[in-house]
Amino acid sequence: WNLLVMEHIEVLVNPKTSIGGVDRRFYIFGVQTNLYFQLHRLSEMLAMDTRGLIELKRLRELFQQQESCLRTQSLNAFAHDVICMWASSFPAALEIPRVQLISTRGRGRVTIPIIGLELTAHNMVTTMPGALQDGVRHFYLTFPPPAHGEILDARMGELEVKLLSLRLAQCLAGLSKNFLHYLRGAVTFTVVSPPQLVKFFGEICKSVQAHGYRIGS
């Protein structure tokens, strides 16, 4: 996501030396900044349904109303303030309630939806696309529990993680083909793992990061 501010400018030139003998030239000057906040709400507008378009219009109007603040603020600070103002009135019908967590990576606090859908290596490819269209934004990546009294073998555990990682990569690639990748900024994954499998978590990270998602907590 980025915010682009463009302005028409007029530059006076010497008609004796300019091409065509004109005394002024017209340009479009643009400055942009990347946006890293409120992505889960910004993403919901891209469905381009009636409510999404209403929110997009409201955001544009707020930027126009607050444009004078650019005289005293940096573009990044201006974007942050306006988007936070817009998000404060974001309709509850467009998002699932979220809970706030403390990040373990020095990024302050992060929020995740309070409910989610459980996915396994066997159902995620067929289940996740439909769930996204139904409004689900939080997914639990789970592993099949060992049979009662059975001890999980380290080698089998590693294979389970690799299988899940491969299916996850297949699933995320399929989202791009089905034009659902625009929801990436709103999607949260939570890994539910037995302690023995935590050391193989890097395999899942590779699949997630290879498709533009980031490890945020």
Side-chain angles (χ1 to χ4, degrees), residues 134-149:
D134 289 338
V136 180
R137 300 291 182 261
H138 186 193
F139 298 93
Y140 294 95
L141 304 180
T142 62
F143 301 93
H148 181 67

Side-chain angles (χ1 to χ4, degrees), residues 5-188:
V5 177
M6 304 181 73
E7 186 172 344
H8 290 274
I9 62 174
E10 182 179 320
V11 179
L12 299 178
V13 296
N14 189 337
K16 294 180 180 179
T17 58
S18 66
I19 298 176
V22 297
D23 63 351
R24 66 197 64 202
R25 293 196 180 279
F26 300 93
Y27 298 91
I28 297 177
F29 180 76
V31 179
Q32 71 174 30
T33 185
N34 293 325
L35 305 178
Y36 299 104
F37 32 84
Q38 299 291 340
L39 297 183
H40 61 285
R41 287 175 172 144
L42 291 171
S43 298
E44 297 298 338
M45 296 189 300
L46 295 180
M48 291 300 173
D49 56 5
T50 301
R51 285 186 172 179
L53 291 173
I54 289 173
E55 287 306 303
L56 180 59
K57 179 182 178 183
R58 187 168 69 87
L59 180 59
R60 285 174 171 167
E61 289 174 347
L62 277 174
F63 273 121
Q64 292 170 352
Q65 292 167 9
Q66 302 297 318
E67 188 176 359
S68 61
C69 295
L70 281 171
R71 299 171 185 168
T72 57
Q73 284 185 301
S74 68
L75 183 57
N76 187 63
F78 168 72
H80 180 273
D81 289 352
V82 173
I83 290 177
C84 286
M85 189 185 307
W86 166 79
S88 66
S89 301
F90 194 77
L94 289 182
E95 63 177 345
I96 294 173
R98 303 173 76 87
V99 63
Q100 193 175 75
L101 304 176
I102 298 176
S103 173
T104 59
R105 293 176 175 259
R107 292 175 178 164
R109 298 179 182 274
V110 295
T111 63
I112 63 172
I114 61 174
I115 60 173
L117 182 67
E118 188 174 290
L119 298 178
T120 68
H122 305 290
N123 71 3
M124 68 172 61
V125 174
T126 56
T127 302
M128 190 174 174
L132 281 172
Q133 294 180 68
D134 289 338
V136 180
R137 300 291 182 261
H138 186 193
F139 298 93
Y140 294 95
L141 304 180
T142 62
F143 301 93
H148 181 67
E150 181 180 321
I151 298 176
L152 185 64
D153 177 78
R155 179 58 181 163
M156 287 302 297
E158 183 179 6
L159 292 176
E160 287 282 1
V161 174
K162 287 185 175 180
L163 175 60
L164 183 83
S165 302
L166 289 171
R167 289 293 169 80
L168 181 58
Q170 179 185 354
C171 183
L172 297 180
L175 295 183
S176 295
K177 292 179 181 178
N178 291 305
F179 305 104
L180 291 171
H181 58 287
Y182 70 86
L183 289 170
R184 183 172 57 200
V187 173
T188 301

